[in-house]
Amino acid sequence: MPTGHATGGTGPARSRERFLQGEPVESGVRTSILSSWQRSRSLGLSPDQADLPFRDDFDRDARIVRAAVPVLDRLQARFAGSKMNISIADASGTVLLRRFGEASLARSLPAFQRVPGFVFAERVAGTNGIGLALAERQLIRVHGAEHFAERSQRSACRALPVRDPLSGRIEGVLCFGYPSSTEDPTLAITIRKAAQAIERRLLGQSSARERALLRAYLDTGAAASAGLHHTIGVDELALELHPRDRAVLTEKAAELISRGQRAAAVVSLFDGRRVTLVSRPMRSGSGVEGVAIEAVLPGPAPREPLAVPTQVDVPPGFSGHLAVVTAVRPPRLVPATAAPGRLPVATLSRHLPDTTYGPFGTVGRGGVADDHPDAPPRTRGLVMVGEPRVGTYALAARRRLELLSEASARIGTTLDVRRTAQELAETAVPRLADFVTIDLPEAVLRGEESADPRTDLHRTVVHGIRDDLPFSPVGKQVDFGPTTPQIRCLTSGQAVLEPDLKAAAGWLAQDPEHTERLLTQVHSLIAVPLVARGVILGIASFYRAQDPAPFGDDDRSLGLELASRAALSIDNARRYTRERTMVLTLQRSLLPHDLPDQDAVEIAHRYLPAESDVGGDWYDVIPLSGTRIGLFVGDVVGHGMLSAATMGQLRTAARSFAELDFPPDEVLTHLDNLVGRLDREEPAAGAGVIGATCLYAIYDPTSQQCTMARAGHPPPALVRPDGTVSFPDLPAGPPLGLGGLPFEAAEIHLPEGSRLLLYTDGLIEDRHRDVDVVLEQLRGALAHPEHTPEQTCQTVLETVAPAHPCDDIALLVARTHALDPHRIAAWDLPADPARVSEVRAAALRQLADWGLDEAAFAAELMLSELVTNAIRHGAGPIRVRLLHGRTLICEVSDASNTAPHLRRAASTDEGGRGLFLVAQLAQSWGTRYLPEGKVIWAECGLDGA
């Protein structure tokens, strides 16, 4: 990454140069840095400004200073000999402390980098680590030219806000400064650990009430004899324990404080060991009532003295009034800090032994009491002190915040309405409620807005701690009366609390028999409307069963907050469902609905949209002249409405080009030009370049030859009548839209009964599967010559297609047929008008053999006109062919490329009426060009034959 003055180069240096010159900066710089640059410029700061504001009245004994001094000293020792500059600043950006890894560094640096008192707030210093950390309120890295000011171009830094663990307020910023050439990614871990150590020390600076409780504990005989007076303010709780174990101990200690009574809890650590926590109610001399939590531990190891060496034979206070609680390992982990109103003041042992001492003897790994006389003496260490009432509120508030934080991560992980509603229920159980039901209108499930949600509610989710409660099952329509809490919450738009369901008349009157069964299990209800962006989406009902305490106002507020967050996610999913339904409807409307009747191939097809979004996959079957059939499959790049609309344009154009009887490679060339023109004429802002892949095959049942060409599309699969599966090696060709590159066609012989499988890349390409493995699976699925095309489609989708496709899949299976040679008649003749009568006579005899005497007159006239035109205006040799299929087809080919034109002859013209007569007698007619020459054909219906 370039450093120094921003006078050239690439990356941030070049981006900063362009920014300072007023040019737009689109890439090459991080969003947070660019935002800081813009703020700095709006403040009128100059990058050439060399001086910074200096304060000599800053508080040199601030809380953050007292907490940070030992941590910065340890960091200085760690970075000894390096060019590391370590500083701590207050919440206004004023540097309060500095430490250096190399002593000489302090003499070589400019004053603003070595003397405390300089202000690095963004409003005065521009983009820098301390200022940006305060602005962004998170870990920040600023490197070289990312600094706004010229003075810092050769430096790099990492900065992290330091917060008060009780209030959450930012107390200051810890910053590491170093030369940009010594960037080390592990500094992010180091600075986080250092900031956490400072925050733990801030936690030790307790309030006056907490100090009073601590003094009351220290004044007890056991504490005084233990020498705990000398352990006030020791650093973090059980530093050497695993963070999960510290979280478990802190959580259980907080719970014991909130109970406000004597109790003991055996806490299981994650490695199988156990610690006994004992709560001791107490009262300070000033009247503050609180609880002290002690950890009962085994005696110290010979070389590992306890931080708090209090030795007792029997923990005091264990009497008949002591409640013993066996603690289970909490399912959630919380930060290893005390909640408001709780003060940790002592450390546990460095290494917990294999056995710990409970209130009734030695407690080993298995928790079995052991009163062995040789057991080492027990010790007791203070964990934290606090007030029960404050602790209870703080514990509940913390758990609510944890639940809301968890809800932000768990709710809305998908864009599925039902799954999002299920995530709301799973988040609320059992942390808020024991059972949750969610009712949504059928219209919302379809992605629409409900005209009257009160009469269109369907049970969408039933979730709880058990499955045996008699709630209405999922899928059933639920009708709530006007006095029920559910309808009242929809009417008012607010959560409705029913603390005692036995007294909830409106709820009881809804369905007496049903509610009577529920009352044996649940006793309290909160009904919350699901409303987002002014749209009523449904109702969430929270029920409490196990907890004897009814729901309260705090629970109602929490339920409303959960529902509000979930409603936004449900509405997003609903909108996505609506958009996806619209795109899918458009996509399906643009695909062929009914395949044409023809005898060349037997067709089966499938279209499977992606789970997340709809793309532009398509297929088509096009009857061509001479009983031939055209098979298309294609894939437009991207997803959504644009891709579907582009697909419709391509399919229409492809059909038009195919019906002009162009060979496959020419059809792809025309499509390539079309895609390039669409990309130029309809840039679709923000949608990117339009592109597509395509494969086009023409099968001729008279010769059993198939001509194919592809444009960046996967090759087809060919199953021969004996079951042999192959993937023809066709020239790949570039994707449509690149322009300027040719396409090549290949011709393959397909024996009658062969199956040709055309597909899009969604069938075989998946980021969780190897393409070669999928192709082998496809080979195995196709190796069944007895399968019909329909069976083949079904087998391929069941065995090869991904279970959760991330891209559309279009599938087309064609089993070939051959036109009976007895239904083909052909004659070669020179360009001699005298031979016309011979051809007419031979054709009439052939029609008689086929039993088509009623079509003979029209066929004779058309054939006579076509042969005559070929002799007069074309070039020999001339070939005549009759094809007897669903219709009678007359073909005349010659070596000339002169195109015939239909025109209306004037009354004085002696000629020019031949093609007009052909057009009147035939169902359709046209011209097909060959590599050398052309074919003029006319098709005659056989309905009357």
Side-chain angles (χ1 to χ4, degrees), residues 487-735:
I487 296 300
R488 285 158 48 204
C489 80
L490 283 183
T491 303
S492 64
Q494 299 294 324
V496 174
L497 169 64
E498 291 289 356
D500 185 5
L501 286 176
K502 293 182 179 179
W507 185 77
L508 292 171
Q510 173 66 20
D511 187 348
E513 181 180 354
H514 183 229
T515 54
E516 184 178 355
R517 296 198 306 272
L518 277 178
L519 279 177
T520 61
Q521 303 290 338
V522 300
H523 60 81
S524 191
L525 165 67
I526 299 175
V528 186
L530 297 172
V531 182
R533 303 181 180 98
V535 178
I536 298 177
L537 302 172
I539 302 170
S541 301
F542 303 93
Y543 294 88
R544 179 164 286 177
Q546 285 190 335
D547 191 342
F551 285 124
D553 289 332
D554 289 340
D555 299 312
R556 175 172 56 184
S557 300
L558 178 59
L560 183 59
E561 180 66 23
L562 279 177
S564 298
R565 298 188 181 198
L568 284 174
S569 297
I570 292 174
D571 191 50
N572 290 338
R574 178 191 67 83
R575 290 166 177 258
Y576 168 78
T577 301
R578 180 187 62 188
E579 296 298 327
R580 185 176 186 274
T581 301
M582 291 172 57
V583 174
L584 186 57
T585 301
L586 174 62
Q587 173 87 350
R588 293 191 183 280
S589 68
L590 295 175
L591 291 174
H593 298 283
D594 297 314
L595 297 181
D597 293 331
Q598 43 78 38
D599 295 325
V601 291
E602 182 183 350
I603 293 290
H605 57 90
R606 294 288 190 278
Y607 171 73
L608 184 65
E611 280 193 350
S612 58
D613 206 349
V614 179
D617 291 16
W618 56 282
Y619 60 87
D620 207 349
V621 178
I622 306 170
L624 302 175
S625 63
T627 69
R628 298 171 306 138
I629 196 74
L631 305 175
F632 263 113
V633 67
D635 183 2
V636 176
V637 174
H639 298 84
M641 190 72 73
L642 176 64
S643 296
T646 304
M647 179 274 290
Q649 291 177 292
L650 282 185
R651 177 177 173 251
T652 301
R655 174 174 281 270
S656 299
F657 294 143
E659 289 179 345
L660 289 175
D661 268 325
F662 291 142
D665 51 339
E666 291 188 24
V667 170
L668 296 185
T669 299
H670 288 295
L671 289 177
D672 181 54
N673 295 333
L674 173 64
V675 172
R677 186 165 61 253
L678 290 176
D679 194 40
R680 292 190 300 270
E681 297 176 356
E682 303 176 16
V689 177
I690 298 175
T693 65
C694 181
L695 189 150
Y696 180 39
I698 297 178
Y699 173 68
D700 188 347
T702 64
S703 63
Q704 302 177 40
Q705 294 293 116
C706 183
T707 306
M708 292 181 280
R710 61 188 180 115
H713 201 82
L718 174 60
V719 186
R720 297 194 178 274
D722 60 358
T724 303
V725 181
S726 63
F727 298 93
D729 186 16
L730 302 180

Side-chain angles (χ1 to χ4, degrees), residues 348-434:
L348 298 178
S349 63
R350 292 184 180 275
H351 300 285
L352 289 177
D354 289 344
T355 58
T356 58
Y357 286 77
F360 305 108
T362 306
V363 181
R365 289 184 184 273
V368 181
D370 181 10
D371 290 321
H372 194 278
D374 295 332
R378 288 170 291 185
T379 60
R380 187 181 63 218
L382 179 63
V383 177
M384 64 174 63
V385 295
E387 298 179 71
R389 181 173 297 180
V390 176
T392 300
Y393 293 155
L395 185 63
R398 183 175 64 183
R399 288 179 174 174
R400 289 189 177 97
L401 289 175
E402 291 170 359
L403 181 58
L404 290 176
S405 177
E406 183 179 332
S408 299
R410 293 186 59 182
I411 300 176
T413 60
T414 68
L415 289 172
D416 181 83
V417 174
R418 288 182 173 85
R419 179 57 197 161
T420 304
Q422 182 70 30
E423 289 170 345
L424 167 60
E426 292 173 352
T427 302
V429 175
R431 307 273 289 280
L432 172 62
D434 297 316

Side-chain angles (χ1 to χ4, degrees), residues 264-267 274-278 294-297 318 356-359 363:
V266 180
V267 181
R274 297 190 174 190
V275 176
T276 301
L277 295 182
V278 180
E294 299 170 324
V296 180
L297 306 170
F318 289 115
T356 58
Y357 286 77
V363 181

Side-chain angles (χ1 to χ4, degrees), residues 687-907:
V689 177
I690 298 175
T693 65
C694 181
L695 189 150
Y696 180 39
I698 297 178
Y699 173 68
D700 188 347
T702 64
S703 63
Q704 302 177 40
Q705 294 293 116
C706 183
T707 306
M708 292 181 280
R710 61 188 180 115
H713 201 82
L718 174 60
V719 186
R720 297 194 178 274
D722 60 358
T724 303
V725 181
S726 63
F727 298 93
D729 186 16
L730 302 180
L736 299 177
L738 295 183
L741 298 175
F743 298 95
E744 297 181 47
E747 193 171 86
I748 301 174
H749 181 73
L750 300 183
E752 184 173 11
S754 300
R755 281 175 296 157
L756 192 63
L757 176 72
L758 310 182
Y759 54 89
T760 55
D761 56 4
L763 178 67
I764 60 173
E765 294 183 5
D766 184 80
R767 53 180 179 266
H768 303 295
R769 303 187 301 171
D770 184 81
V771 173
D772 293 333
V773 174
V774 177
L775 289 177
E776 286 303 315
Q777 294 176 347
L778 180 59
R779 189 187 300 273
L782 295 176
H784 298 280
E786 72 281 1
H787 282 183
T788 64
E790 284 291 338
Q791 292 173 329
T792 301
C793 277
Q794 193 63 31
T795 301
V796 168
L797 290 182
E798 291 176 353
T799 60
V800 181
H804 304 283
C806 57
D807 194 7
D808 291 17
I809 298 174
L811 194 62
L812 190 65
V813 178
R815 182 161 63 183
T816 64
H817 297 295
L819 186 61
D820 188 345
H822 297 292
R823 288 176 170 260
I824 304 173
W827 301 273
D828 294 316
L829 64 155
D832 183 0
R835 304 294 296 274
V836 175
S837 59
E838 298 178 9
V839 173
R840 286 203 307 264
L844 290 175
R845 290 194 297 271
Q846 184 63 62
L847 293 177
D849 292 341
W850 287 342
L852 302 180
D853 295 322
E854 295 187 14
F857 173 77
E860 180 185 12
L861 183 56
M862 290 189 299
L863 193 61
S864 177
E865 292 295 335
L866 293 178
V867 173
T868 301
N869 281 341
I871 294 174
R872 293 181 60 186
H873 305 291
I878 297 173
R879 182 177 177 82
V880 178
R881 188 169 69 156
L882 296 180
L883 303 177
H884 179 200
R886 290 175 177 263
T887 59
L888 177 64
I889 301 174
C890 302
E891 294 183 347
V892 177
S893 61
D894 64 81
S896 170
N897 290 323
T898 304
H901 296 284
L902 178 66
R903 66 183 181 89
R904 184 179 296 276
S907 57

